[in-house]
Amino acid sequence: WITIDREEWWWGIVLGIAWGLAEGTKLNATFLPVGLVIWALLFKRKWYLVLRGVLMGVVAIGTFFLLWPWMYQETWTRLKAYFEFQYHHENIGIWYLGHFYFRPPWHYTLVVLWAVVPLTVMILAFVGAVRARRGRQDKGLGWLLIISALVPMLVIALGHTLAYDGERLFMPTFPFLAALAGAGFGWLIEGLRRASQRFSHPALYAPMSILIGIGLLVPQTITSVGLYPHLLSYYSEGVGGLPGATKMQLETTYWCESYLAAIPYINTHAKPGDWIWVEPWSYDVMIYYQKIGVLRPDIRMVQPYQGAGSIFGFGSPQPVLGHFQEANWILFENRQTQSGESYFPSFSSYLDRLRPPVLEVSYEDIPIMELFDRTQLNHQ
């Protein structure tokens, strides 16, 4: 935006490096030019931007390869393998509105966005988007933000890509949504400024603006303080917080977020060599806790997939191949995507037999994490 009216060709190189850095960080950056091209066609049809776009793309590709030494040899073969992996990505499902999906319905991103973004921010962003209808007055800045916010969501809504882990794969929407909320807040306090002048109290403008700004942050702050440190279970006031999201049958929490809360109990009560079942593909989080001395090193993690070792290498504790019924402990995080019957038949009924848990973390009576001791089953 800063350089949009500058015609120097070398801006394409600068932007290409920035895009290449983004692409080398996360593949989502591939879709960045989609929003830029749409916006340019609507508001800035200039030939120097065509040159800039071409330069930007060439430099971005070069930066992407430069950042990835693995591509220095057998480049074509490895590049092809990389894109084939992305195109034929392993199916990872998601729990949404009480159903398990591999390809979510078109409304998924809209519902999840409403559910996770604080209500005051969503309202301000809507106000900012409405103000963007006067696109010629701000040279299209508002529409640049709107289009850039929509593109990551539309990629998923079209149904041709996986969309696991809640909002994670369309998080590039959030900075633009925040900017729209800033525009909405700017419109709000500008109205306050005019009102203060109209009623001959201009001195009230600054303190009232600060108070309103603080007030708009209060609801989500109160919720976050109550949830802390389990902030990945946050849901907005627009759906009634975590209890409301639970009624909607959205996912309760996110990957491995609450494991740390169970470790003091496990360190105290587990026997040497005990096995612990955690969510599949999350055992490395527990192994990391062992590596840094938080979790006892004699405890073993259970994983259900043949040949799946630790990413930390053979010098680290390795998971053992086993079934959840063989584990001495089950550390159950209420993440429905990987804990449900879709992956492990009879898992839920097995937990019911182990209840009550020896340790529970909850918020407003919604369980976030439960720790089960299999010896309880032997005592029944």
Side-chain angles (χ1 to χ4, degrees):
W1 180 253
I2 292 171
T3 68
I4 196 66
D5 291 319
R6 301 181 184 181
E7 300 186 15
E8 297 90 348
W9 62 270
W10 49 268
W11 282 115
I13 296 177
V14 175
L15 294 170
I17 293 172
W19 184 23
L21 290 170
E23 188 75 33
T25 305
K26 188 69 175 170
L27 190 62
N28 304 55
T30 301
F31 304 105
L32 179 66
V34 175
L36 296 180
V37 169
I38 292 173
W39 180 86
L41 289 173
L42 291 173
F43 291 97
K44 202 75 174 179
R45 294 186 290 272
K46 299 292 183 180
W47 281 110
Y48 72 87
L49 289 182
V50 176
L51 172 63
R52 181 174 299 179
V54 173
L55 252 181
M56 179 179 169
V58 171
V59 173
I61 292 171
T63 304
F64 173 79
F65 280 104
L66 189 64
L67 289 171
W68 200 355
W70 186 65
M71 287 290 185
Y72 293 178
Q73 298 181 12
E74 304 176 41
T75 303
W76 175 249
T77 301
R78 291 179 174 181
L79 182 64
K80 183 180 177 183
Y82 171 66
F83 282 106
E84 284 182 350
F85 166 76
Q86 296 294 344
Y87 188 76
H88 301 289
H89 197 286
E90 175 191 356
N91 277 336
I92 301 176
I94 189 162
W95 178 259
Y96 172 64
L97 300 183
H99 298 281
F100 187 82
Y101 294 94
F102 283 115
R103 293 289 191 278
W106 65 268
H107 47 77
Y108 165 79
T109 53
L110 294 173
V111 173
V112 171
L113 188 74
W114 176 258
V116 301
V117 177
L119 181 60
T120 55
V121 176
M122 282 295 294
I123 293 172
L124 289 175
F126 179 76
V127 172
V130 170
R131 297 286 296 171
R133 75 185 188 280
R134 304 163 68 180
R136 295 299 174 184
Q137 293 187 14
D138 65 358
K139 299 182 181 180
L141 175 58
W143 278 104
L144 178 62
L145 299 175
I146 292 171
I147 293 169
S148 299
L150 286 176
V151 166
M153 298 172 62
L154 290 174
V155 170
I156 294 173
L158 292 175
H160 298 300
T161 182
L162 295 172
Y164 47 88
D165 295 341
E167 69 275 19
R168 182 167 74 88
L169 294 188
F170 62 95
M171 283 179 68
T173 288
F174 290 171
F176 303 106
L177 201 69
L180 285 169
F185 182 67
W187 174 80
L188 181 65
I189 62 173
E190 176 60 22
L192 179 65
R193 184 187 66 80
R194 290 196 298 266
S196 66
Q197 291 177 343
R198 180 180 178 184
F199 293 103
S200 303
H201 293 290
L204 292 177
Y205 166 64
M208 286 297 293
S209 298
I210 294 172
L211 288 174
I212 291 173
I214 293 173
L216 290 168
L217 296 175
V218 165
Q220 54 266 45
T221 302
I222 292 174
T223 301
S224 298
V225 169
L227 269 170
Y228 186 83
H230 307 291
L231 298 177
L232 295 185
S233 291
Y234 173 85
Y235 281 98
S236 81
E237 304 74 28
V239 296
L242 181 58
T246 301
K247 291 178 182 177
M248 292 175 62
Q249 298 192 66
L250 296 174
E251 205 166 50
T252 301
T253 191
Y254 183 57
W255 208 17
C256 316
E257 183 272 335
S258 60
Y259 287 178
L260 191 61
I263 287 180
Y265 189 96
I266 293 170
N267 283 340
T268 302
H269 295 89
K271 298 176 182 177
D274 269 4
W275 289 12
I276 299 180
W277 173 274
V278 292
E279 184 178 319
W281 304 114
S282 67
Y283 48 81
D284 272 320
V285 173
M286 299 294 281
I287 290 173
Y288 172 74
Y289 289 146
Q290 290 180 316
K291 287 175 65 66
I292 64 174
V294 174
L295 177 64
R296 280 170 36 191
D298 60 293
I299 295 169
R300 306 296 298 275
M301 303 305 130
V302 182
Q303 59 89 13
Y305 302 113
Q306 183 73 41
S310 171
I311 62 171
F312 297 112
F314 290 105
S316 300
Q318 293 296 306
V320 294
L321 183 66
H323 192 266
F324 60 81
Q325 293 182 346
E326 301 175 90
N328 304 98
W329 302 83
I330 291 183
L331 180 49
F332 172 67
E333 188 169 65
N334 200 10
R335 182 180 177 236
Q336 292 85 342
T337 293
Q338 291 242 336
S339 62
E341 301 294 307
S342 301
Y343 282 97
F344 304 104
S346 76
F347 183 72
S348 297
S349 59
Y350 183 69
L351 291 189
D352 288 337
R353 292 168 60 196
L354 292 177
R355 283 192 164 88
V358 295
L359 180 68
E360 179 180 283
V361 172
S362 62
Y363 176 76
E364 294 191 9
D365 297 325
I366 308 297
I368 295 174
M369 180 275 289
E370 296 172 298
L371 179 65
F372 297 92
D373 181 356
R374 194 180 65 173
T375 59
Q376 294 184 149
L377 189 62
N378 299 331
H379 293 158
Q380 292 175 5

